[in-house]
Amino acid sequence: MDILAVLTKEFSIKPWQTENAVKLIDDGNTIPFIARYRKEATGSLDDQLLRSLNDRLTYLRNMEEQKEKIISSIEEQGLMTEEIMKSIENASTLTELEDIYRPYRPKRKTRASVAKAKGLQGLADAIYAQEKNCKSPEELAVDYLNDEVETIEDAISGAKDIIAELVSDDPNGRKMLRYSVKNNGTVIVSGIKDDLGVYEMYKEYSEPVKSVASHRVLAFNRGEKEGFLKVAIDFDKIVGLNILENLHIKENCNTTNAVKEAIEDSYTRLIFPSIEREIRNTLTENADEKAIKVFADNTRQLLMQPPVKGRVTLGLDPGYRTGCKVAVVDDTGKVLDTGVIYPVPPHNKVEQAKKIIKELVIKHDVKMFAIGNGTASHETEVFAAEVIKELDRGITYMVVSEAGASVYSASKLAAEEFPEFDVSLRSAVSIARRLQDPLAELVKIDPKAIGVGQYQHDMPQKRLSEALDGVVEDCVNSVGVDLNTASAQLLNRVAGVSSAIANNIVEYRQVNGAFKSRNEILKVSKLGPKAFEQCAGFMRVAESDNVLDNTAVHPESYQAARALLEICSVTDEDVRCGKVSGIKAYVETVGTSAIAAKLGIGEPTLIDIANEIAKPGRDPRDELPAPMLRTDVMGMEDLKVGMELKGTVRNVIDFGAFVDIGVHQDGLVHISQITNKYIKHPSDVLKVGDIVTVWVISVDVEKKRIGLTMKKPKD
């Protein structure tokens, strides 16, 4: 198999792009580095496509290794033929390979192997041959009676077992039957308990295999696992038998009926149960991949939420009996103060709590409240809104997802970061920081714990972790990190930086003070030239005398960047002050092609350099819509059908999106209520963090369900 040709076709890219991308990956370069700093080589392939290409490259290489093992095994058995070799070489999936190898794979004890051991292979061959004017199976069987095969019936039964296995091992039959079941089979789901709870809709449920939705596959898989449902695939047996008989029935002769009986046994006992398992596995794998993609996309959007910079923030981790934990952090995330208040039941010390919060606000000039969305969140939100109104200082607040906060707070990392705080106070700090800079804070948490997906606990955890880790890495490198303030956890997500190197960077800072330039990181233990090449462009040193150290311009391009500045008569001080309009004018006048050739770099690199010089220290998240901050609170009981509201998309799933409209309970916009246009998936239109206008279409206070629509009601 020409792997490069396969990748080129599947990803609809040019052969030279594929070849260069694979070479860069094989040379040990990271995906963020390739995507950002090797655009000329790859034709500007983005990080997501490069990750998909890398995954597919690994799959195809594994398949080639499997082909070699299969060829070696069949050759050792002395059974290799030109036809078999050609089939193996042309196989494009691991399933096809398994079908080809099935007859030659060493088998455990089967009914067919027992019959063969009794000397019945010859009888099976004679019956399966179906020669014209041949003897009947009973007549043929006489010659195969022995001490182990005492009756004609035993001989024929054993021969049919051998034929059944032969039919089962035929790759053509399996391929045709698999295709037919995929396109014409039906998934049948039934309840096996009186009370099915959340699985009630699947009590008597069926849907064609070819059209069953991924989220339903995950739902009834979970119901089956929990013992509420029975799931099977139904297929017309007559159609299945016809497929096999067309391949194995040769003549209408004395042995034909025996072969048909063997085929039916093979279909019922061996082939269909196997294909049913395969198709169920395929449905699950496809559903898993789609769910992982949704989870990854949502995580990407959540991590890339714009930070709320330059504001002292008060974090509130709500609670009933144990009180509400409070933490004040400055505009860099440094903890200024902590405390505990009891404004909600059972304590109801509202006035005392107000006094404490007001003192903290005035003392530290707090500008924002960040409120966790867990237990007692709504009551705490009502309390906070009252305090904000009474203070009348222009303070705003936002309810922040607590997902993963408890995991972080109890972690070894949190204990090292805040040894003087108990677990709950660490949560309050994390909640405040999540509003200030979601990426820097959430990077400390296992991405699976962030909770912006569906059925994440049912996913293959290794694959889910790989996908989410890739998303975190891409987000961190897209934004860049401040070398002098970034935590070890944030640094560890930078391309080429291992956990050990990240810790060494922090240790170097503590011993030697702030880094004064990018080149200084070469003094960090274990950070060699290769790691420097991969990571340098993603690190920022705002304090450096070299203004380029605070941009995404890679050190390898400094000479070209300096030449561009000189041509345009722009100084470092001009760059710091934003007086760089001359560069844009020069590029527009002369053209990127001519300038790139003069500087000895590619056009994509020139464009990136010009953009970075225009905005040193640029944070791409600042270009996105700011998060929606509130000043007042509503409850579910305040909602009325037809009410128009602004909300923030919190989660996008297969069947819709959950939107925070400020009533503590997210409302659901079903996929049918998102737009009047046809969409395949809600993510075609919405992403986590979007600010949307919605209208209430239903409210069920008892069940805590809110139905929303994004389609403006007609007057």
Side-chain angles (χ1 to χ4, degrees):
M1 178 194 295
D2 186 340
I3 290 178
L4 296 182
V6 172
L7 293 173
T8 298
K9 183 178 179 181
E10 288 185 359
F11 289 94
S12 300
I13 55 180
K14 294 173 180 150
W16 63 267
Q17 290 179 290
T18 308
E19 186 178 346
N20 289 344
V22 170
K23 186 177 185 306
L24 286 164
I25 290 169
D26 287 344
D27 286 344
N29 295 289
T30 61
I31 297 298
F33 175 79
I34 297 170
R36 183 64 178 78
Y37 298 112
R38 292 297 178 262
K39 291 180 178 179
E40 285 84 3
T42 68
S44 299
L45 299 180
D46 66 32
D47 48 18
Q48 293 180 62
L49 188 145
L50 285 166
R51 286 194 187 281
S52 298
L53 185 144
N54 188 30
D55 288 344
R56 185 63 175 152
L57 174 65
T58 302
Y59 177 90
L60 293 174
R61 284 178 169 170
N62 288 340
M63 192 162 71
E64 287 301 292
E65 287 180 19
Q66 190 66 13
K67 284 182 180 181
E68 290 175 12
K69 290 177 183 176
I70 288 172
I71 290 169
S72 176
S73 174
I74 296 175
E75 285 179 341
E76 284 175 8
Q77 296 173 52
L79 299 172
M80 181 59 76
T81 65
E82 224 175 280
E83 187 181 357
I84 295 170
M85 179 65 81
K86 190 174 180 182
S87 296
I88 293 171
E89 288 173 350
N90 291 336
S92 59
T93 66
L94 287 170
T95 301
E96 281 184 59
L97 272 182
E98 286 303 308
D99 282 350
I100 295 165
Y101 187 43
R102 184 180 294 274
Y104 310 101
R105 181 186 291 282
K107 291 184 172 66
R108 57 179 176 78
K109 188 176 180 181
T110 64
R111 280 163 52 170
S113 66
V114 170
K116 289 176 184 178
K118 292 178 179 179
L120 295 173
Q121 181 69 60
L123 176 59
D125 292 343
I127 293 173
Y128 182 72
Q130 303 165 69
E131 293 177 350
K132 220 170 195 178
N133 302 320
C134 72
K135 295 178 181 179
S136 68
E138 290 76 13
E139 291 173 302
L140 292 169
V142 172
D143 294 336
Y144 292 89
L145 298 180
N146 55 43
D147 290 343
E148 291 186 272
V149 185
E150 297 179 353
T151 68
I152 288 173
E153 289 77 10
D154 289 343
I156 294 172
S157 177
K160 287 196 291 188
D161 286 340
I162 295 171
I163 295 170
E165 188 167 274
L166 180 148
V167 171
S168 173
D169 286 345
D170 175 33
N172 291 327
R174 281 183 169 267
K175 185 175 182 179
M176 292 171 69
L177 194 56
R178 185 184 296 114
Y179 178 83
S180 189
V181 176
K182 278 182 179 178
N183 286 281
N184 302 295
T186 305
V187 178
I188 304 292
V189 187
S190 55
I192 56 177
K193 287 187 177 181
D194 292 334
D195 183 8
L196 295 177
V198 295
Y199 304 111
E200 188 62 37
M201 72 169 288
Y202 297 110
K203 186 174 183 178
E204 293 181 6
Y205 183 84
S206 66
E207 189 169 357
V209 170
K210 64 182 178 183
S211 61
V212 62
S214 296
H215 65 276
R216 284 198 280 275
V217 172
L218 297 174
F220 56 62
N221 278 357
R222 180 183 284 183
E224 183 180 46
K225 186 177 179 181
E226 293 176 356
F228 288 93
L229 304 174
K230 179 182 178 183
V231 185
I233 291 178
D234 183 50
F235 181 69
D236 190 331
K237 184 176 180 179
I238 294 173
V239 173
L241 292 176
N242 283 339
I243 289 171
L244 298 177
E245 287 176 4
N246 286 336
L247 290 169
H248 297 283
I249 298 300
K250 302 169 185 175
E251 293 280 354
N252 188 9
C253 65
N254 289 330
T255 62
T256 300
N257 283 338
V259 176
K260 285 185 175 181
E261 289 168 3
I263 289 172
E264 182 171 3
D265 174 49
S266 180
Y267 176 89
T268 305
R269 179 169 59 88
L270 301 173
I271 304 178
F272 187 75
S274 172
I275 287 178
E276 181 180 31
R277 284 193 301 273
E278 283 179 20
I279 290 176
R280 291 266 332 257
N281 287 340
T282 299
L283 287 174
T284 299
E285 287 168 8
N286 291 340
D288 286 345
E289 280 303 309
K290 286 182 180 177
I292 287 171
K293 184 181 184 305
V294 170
F295 203 134
D297 288 345
N298 287 345
T299 301
R300 184 185 306 277
Q301 301 304 331
L302 181 63
L303 293 177
M304 293 299 285
Q305 285 299 287
V308 183
K309 298 175 180 176
R311 301 191 199 181
V312 178
T313 304
L314 185 145
L316 294 167
D317 181 16
Y320 288 117
R321 185 182 55 81
T322 56
C324 176
K325 313 309 182 295
V326 183
V328 180
V329 300
D330 70 10
D331 56 359
T332 68
K334 179 184 175 183
V335 180
L336 301 176
D337 227 323
T338 61
V340 183
I341 57 175
Y342 301 90
V344 302
H347 304 286
N348 293 315
K349 297 179 180 179
V350 178
E351 292 308 314
Q352 182 189 68
K354 283 184 178 180
K355 183 173 182 292
I356 293 171
I357 295 299
K358 288 176 181 178
E359 287 174 354
L360 289 173
V361 167
I362 294 167
K363 179 181 178 182
H364 300 293
D365 194 19
V366 172
K367 299 296 185 185
M368 290 188 306
F369 289 2
I371 304 168
N373 69 340
T375 305
S377 174
H378 183 63
E379 294 90 335
T380 304
E381 186 183 357
V382 172
F383 163 77
E386 288 178 4
V387 173
I388 287 171
K389 194 176 291 185
E390 290 174 14
L391 281 166
D392 193 21
R393 293 168 63 96
I395 296 170
T396 55
Y397 77 86
M398 184 172 174
V399 177
V400 178
S401 170
E402 287 184 14
S406 59
V407 176
Y408 160 73
S409 301
S411 68
K412 181 182 177 184
L413 164 63
E416 290 172 353
E417 191 173 6
F418 301 115
E420 71 277 22
F421 297 156
D422 68 17
V423 170
S424 54
L425 286 175
R426 293 172 195 159
S427 286
V429 174
S430 180
I431 287 166
R433 287 177 168 180
R434 285 183 185 206
L435 182 53
Q436 290 183 321
D437 191 339
L439 179 59
E441 193 61 24
L442 292 173
V443 79
K444 302 174 184 176
I445 300 164
D446 181 348
K448 295 196 295 293
I450 295 175
V452 284
Q454 56 186 348
Y455 300 101
Q456 59 257 42
H457 300 298
D458 298 335
M459 299 295 100
Q461 295 301 296
K462 183 174 181 293
R463 176 76 187 102
L464 178 61
S465 293
E466 288 171 352
L468 296 182
D469 285 344
V471 166
V472 175
E473 184 181 41
D474 289 343
C475 290
V476 169
N477 289 284
S478 172
V479 172
V481 303
D482 186 323
L483 190 55
N484 285 321
T485 61
S487 65
Q489 294 69 43
L490 196 57
L491 290 165
N492 187 27
R493 298 292 189 169
V494 174
V497 176
S498 66
S499 177
I501 292 175
N503 289 328
N504 290 344
I505 291 173
V506 173
E507 187 178 335
Y508 181 94
R509 258 182 357 215
Q510 292 169 343
V511 173
N512 300 285
F515 286 91
K516 297 175 183 63
S517 71
R518 269 179 174 158
N519 281 337
E520 192 179 349
I521 62 174
L522 283 166
K523 296 179 181 179
V524 172
S525 174
K526 296 184 180 179
L527 199 153
K530 183 66 174 180
F532 179 81
E533 177 192 50
Q534 300 296 307
C535 74
F538 303 113
M539 293 179 169
R540 311 282 183 268
V541 185
E543 299 80 2
S544 175
D545 291 337
N546 185 348
V547 72
L548 298 177
D549 282 352
N550 194 33
T551 70
V553 176
H554 196 283
E556 67 185 10
S557 298
Y558 277 9
Q559 187 176 346
R562 285 287 170 201
L564 179 63
L565 290 174
E566 189 174 337
I567 290 170
C568 299
S569 301
V570 173
T571 66
D572 279 17
E573 192 56 36
D574 290 336
V575 175
R576 289 191 181 93
C577 298
K579 299 176 181 178
V580 292
S581 56
I583 293 177
K584 185 178 180 183
Y586 178 72
V587 171
E588 289 176 352
T589 303
V590 179
T592 55
S593 179
I595 298 172
K598 184 175 182 179
L599 298 178
I601 56 177
E603 285 187 65
T605 297
L606 170 64
I607 293 167
D608 285 344
I609 289 173
N611 288 337
E612 287 299 322
I613 289 174
K615 293 181 179 179
R618 179 177 71 95
D619 188 332
R621 297 173 296 173
D622 292 342
E623 297 167 12
L624 301 170
M628 192 166 72
L629 301 171
R630 302 183 185 279
T631 58
D632 208 348
V633 64
M634 283 197 313
M636 275 189 74
E637 62 279 359
D638 299 317
L639 297 179
K640 299 288 184 291
V641 172
M643 186 180 284
E644 178 181 336
L645 299 161
K646 285 277 189 185
T648 304
V649 177
R650 291 299 181 204
N651 199 2
V652 178
I653 50 179
D654 286 348
F655 54 84
F658 286 100
V659 178
D660 173 10
I661 52 174
V663 296
H664 189 55
Q665 184 65 43
D666 290 348
L668 173 65
V669 182
H670 189 268
I671 187 170
S672 62
Q673 295 295 328
I674 292 175
T675 176
N676 287 317
K677 299 176 183 177
Y678 170 75
I679 55 174
K680 288 184 178 179
H681 194 276
S683 60
D684 294 344
V685 177
L686 297 173
K687 61 181 184 292
V688 170
D690 279 351
I691 308 297
V692 295
T693 301
V694 293
W695 288 265
V696 179
I697 55 176
S698 65
V699 181
D700 188 329
V701 176
E702 188 178 335
K703 292 183 178 179
K704 294 187 176 180
R705 290 179 183 171
I706 304 167
L708 303 172
T709 182
M710 289 173 60
K711 300 176 182 179
K712 185 174 182 178
K714 294 178 182 178
D715 296 330

